[in-house]
């Protein structure tokens, strides 16, 4: 959840658009073959009716967007413990605030980009 939210926010920052113009979601897929790995698919979509092309623009510049996302997750201006209004929280994701954990999302992003199995950080108390 956090990584999907961070990618949408990172895309809006990179494209210099309002964060309400693009949104993200994810789905978990289970393998058909026993022993095969499950996958997570994160997707972006334009929130405007008919689309404005922002998700396509993000795809064309994905490396730069993901670097922006990494910076966003790694360097909160308030150095918060999980998330705050200075890094990930905003009105549209208000129902997710208790779920957002920028440190855990950074571990997942680094795993996806580098392919290494991460050490799991200790979870902050809720």
């Amino acid at each position: 959840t956090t990584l999907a939210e961070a990618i949408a926010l990172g895309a809006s920052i990179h494209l210099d658009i309002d964060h309400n113009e693009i949104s993200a979601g994810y789905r978990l897929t289970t393998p058909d073959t026993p022993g095969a790995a499950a996958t997570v698919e994160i997707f972006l979509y334009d929130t405007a009716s008919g689309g404005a092309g922002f998700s396509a623009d993000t795809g064309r510049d994905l490396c730069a967007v993901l670097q922006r996302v990494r910076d966003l997750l790694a360097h909160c201006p308030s150095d918060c413990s999980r998330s705050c209004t200075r890094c990930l929280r905003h009105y549209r994701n208000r129902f997710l605030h208790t779920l957002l954990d920028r440190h855990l999302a950074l571990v997942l992003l680094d795993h996806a980009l580098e392919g290494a199995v991460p050490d799991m950080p200790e979870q902050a108390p809720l």
Side-chain angles (χ1 to χ4, degrees), residues 10-123:
S12 70
I13 293 167
H14 181 76
L15 297 173
D16 195 24
I17 59 173
D18 186 90
H19 69 273
N20 291 311
E21 298 287 335
I22 194 166
S23 196
Y26 70 93
R27 71 178 187 163
L28 305 173
T29 60
T30 55
D32 294 333
T33 308
T39 59
V40 178
E41 297 174 349
I42 296 176
F43 54 88
L44 294 176
Y45 58 93
D46 298 341
T47 57
S49 179
F54 297 133
S55 55
D57 292 342
T58 300
R60 283 190 283 277
D61 209 5
L62 188 58
C63 289
V65 169
L66 291 178
Q67 184 57 51
R68 179 77 65 157
V69 171
R70 190 175 196 303
D71 292 343
L72 180 71
L73 295 171
H75 307 291
C76 172
S78 296
D79 196 29
C80 66
S81 62
R82 296 183 59 191
S83 68
C84 69
T85 56
R86 304 236 6 237
C87 61
L88 292 172
R89 294 181 181 188
H90 50 76
Y91 182 77
R92 193 186 59 200
N93 68 14
R94 67 193 175 279
F95 298 113
L96 303 174
H97 287 180
T98 59
L99 300 175
L100 300 176
D101 185 330
R102 66 185 181 89
H103 301 289
L104 193 57
L106 181 59
V107 168
L108 180 58
L109 179 63
D110 285 345
H111 170 66
L113 295 177
E114 298 171 12
V117 176
D119 292 329
M120 296 305 291
E122 289 187 36
Q123 186 122 16

